[in-house]
Amino acid sequence: MVIMGFEKSFGPLWRQWREEFPVTENLIYLNHAAVTPLPRRTARAMQGLAEDALQFGSLHYDRWLDAYEGLRVAAARLIGADRGEIAMVKNTSEGISTVAQGLRWHPGDRIVAFREEFPSNYYPWLRLEAQGCSVDWLSANDPLEKIEIACRGAKLLSISFVQYLSGFRADLNAIGAICRRNDCFFFVDAIQGLGGFPLDVEAAHIDALAADGHKWLLGPEGCGILYVRKSRQDSIFPEEFGWTNVAGYNDYASRDMALRPDAGRYECGTLNTIGCYGLRASIELLLEVGVSQVAPAVQSLADQLAAGAIDKGYQLLGDRTPENGAGIVALQKPGLDSRKVVHDLKQKGVIAAPRQGWVRFSPHFYISPEEIDRVIEALP
């Protein structure tokens, strides 16, 4: 929540945090839906660990353990969970696969999923058809009434917080309520929304969630989080199994395979330590800024870009509203090749992405409205 007089005293949000993002000295970076530039403190955290390992090896291993715990705590705070419900994974795909492969499926089980999903939230559910399961494929734009009907008798529903191409933001609280009423496991691929928009796993009745760090969470590649509700952990077995899945993992002579009592049971072996340093710093930055302040800034920048492009003859993918809009804007213009548009913008220092015939923009909160105006002016 913005404190009265905050902008007057300290300036707009983007200006307050601009120094954390040196990329702004080189580019107008509107590609956070792909790979984010690192904040200054994130890069320094990772550089600090690299230098320490260079000079001292594992002498300060206790600090590594502190970083793991710090990431669990920060991620839990971000989504309203308990630290024991957070596991570190290498990416969203690993998190989704952990749930898809770890649940016990039976012939006739039914899954509700969505056609527009990124492949990582599509293939794992489709693959279960080989085990006799069936998938009801809906559209992310379908009304809640249709989702409710599909959920009746379904074992699991999986949806992205924000769709990777259109930028459609799902009403997680409403869908979670539907799943709860129908005793349907609720899984969320959160990578395209977490860090940009508030998410509360309790309010949304989310059973499991995965998100990589290298998009809206402002973190490095190769490090993400998996949330599994405590009451669901015994129903999801870690199919990927190594020495750290078990409760007594510090006792190398033990052969007791009892699982860890928390979400750490889904961590198979040595963690991406330098990634954990970076992602912890990035999430703590977002907590400091406040996602409740980040969200309206991201929404406003994306709205500004969409409106300006439409005025120049571009078509917007989807119907953008205050309720479903997010940080992703996909545009195209008849007669223009999206790849050439992205290439030409790159020559002007503007970074976007070509996606399936569309030009996809994705600004984060530290981008200024003036920069958005410059991008609109640069559009052919």
Side-chain angles (χ1 to χ4, degrees), residues 67-117:
Y68 303 154
E69 180 62 16
L71 175 52
R72 287 186 213 283
V73 170
R77 282 184 58 202
L78 186 68
I79 64 174
D82 181 82
R83 51 83 54 209
E85 297 174 313
I86 303 294
M88 273 83 87
V89 291
K90 61 179 181 288
N91 49 49
T92 310
S93 295
E94 183 179 38
I96 296 172
S97 293
T98 297
V99 174
Q101 295 178 38
L103 284 167
R104 290 294 168 258
W105 300 96
H106 303 94
D109 283 343
R110 192 162 53 81
I111 299 157
V112 179
F114 295 82
R115 293 188 294 272
E116 299 90 348
E117 295 288 350

Side-chain angles (χ1 to χ4, degrees), residues 111-130:
I111 299 157
V112 179
F114 295 82
R115 293 188 294 272
E116 299 90 348
E117 295 288 350
F118 192 75
S120 60
N121 198 29
Y122 189 99
Y123 293 149
W125 314 117
L126 183 64
R127 193 166 177 257
L128 289 170
E129 290 183 339

Side-chain angles (χ1 to χ4, degrees), residues 318-363:
D319 296 321
R320 186 178 178 87
T321 70
E323 291 74 29
N324 70 28
I328 294 173
V329 176
L331 302 160
Q332 62 179 202
K333 191 173 186 179
L336 293 182
D337 185 328
S338 63
R339 293 166 297 181
K340 186 176 189 307
V341 173
V342 170
H343 176 271
D344 291 347
L345 287 173
K346 185 177 179 180
Q347 307 312 304
K348 299 175 182 179
V350 178
I351 307 301
R355 290 290 186 271
Q356 296 160 243
W358 298 84
V359 180
R360 189 184 70 180
F361 296 96
S362 45

